[in-house]
Amino acid sequence: MQDVTEKLGYRLKRAASALRTAMDDALRAHDLTVPQYSTLELLDQQPGLSNAELARGTFVTRQSMNVVLRGLQEHGLVHRPAVSDHGRALPTHLTEEGLRRLALARDAVYAIDDRIAGAVPEERRAALLADLDAMVAELGR
């Protein structure tokens, strides 16, 4: 019987868990969770995303995204209209405070990304990224 810790999926999950823990620790200083930070990043890149679009982009359910957005609204980091101009989707936008908090948190998260990138020799990084993308494609995501 093969040792499960030698399986690729186990190693990927272990790396993802280590990344999540490091991000949780870094974001705590900015009073943000990983889903909140991810939401702010997406909204900075694509203002006006709906709840469903944000949920897909941050790997949480729509119900969980409702909770995330409510928390961000209560802290004045995002703005959502009370009603939609078109259909049911409520477009979400960052506030000035949301942009400020994102900039501070981004520095901490990008420093973590630099640390993990530094663990892979530069000449192997492009191949690693391609391999990770191929794994996602193989699983149909």
Side-chain angles (χ1 to χ4, degrees):
M1 189 162 126
Q2 187 176 9
D3 181 356
V4 71
T5 64
E6 297 300 317
K7 300 298 272 178
L8 184 56
Y10 180 89
R11 296 283 179 98
L12 284 171
K13 182 63 177 171
R14 187 170 166 226
S17 180
L19 174 60
R20 176 66 184 250
T21 298
M23 289 178 66
D24 283 337
D25 292 346
L27 291 170
R28 194 171 296 114
H30 301 283
D31 196 28
L32 291 171
T33 64
V34 172
Q36 288 173 329
Y37 167 78
S38 299
T39 299
L40 296 178
E41 277 285 9
L42 278 178
L43 288 172
D44 188 41
Q45 294 173 17
Q46 301 175 60
L49 291 176
S50 70
N51 179 65
E53 292 166 325
L54 288 166
R56 277 190 300 277
T58 59
F59 312 106
V60 301
T61 65
R62 287 184 299 196
Q63 294 81 1
S64 293
M65 183 50 62
N66 281 329
V67 174
V68 170
L69 287 173
R70 196 173 9 230
L72 291 172
Q73 277 184 284
E74 289 171 2
H75 289 96
L77 304 180
V78 300
H79 174 300
R80 295 174 78 199
V83 295
S84 175
D85 293 340
H86 307 83
R88 295 176 28 189
L90 298 175
T92 307
H93 296 275
L94 292 177
T95 63
E96 288 299 317
E97 178 60 16
L99 286 168
R100 186 190 73 75
R101 183 91 63 89
L102 172 60
L104 293 172
R106 182 181 281 153
D107 288 343
V109 171
Y110 282 19
I112 294 166
D113 195 77
D114 289 344
R115 283 175 52 204
I116 62 174
V120 177
E122 189 171 346
E123 64 273 8
R124 290 182 35 211
R125 287 185 202 148
L128 174 61
L129 293 174
D131 289 344
L132 290 169
D133 289 342
M135 289 177 212
V136 171
E138 180 63 29
L139 296 174
R141 300 303 223 131

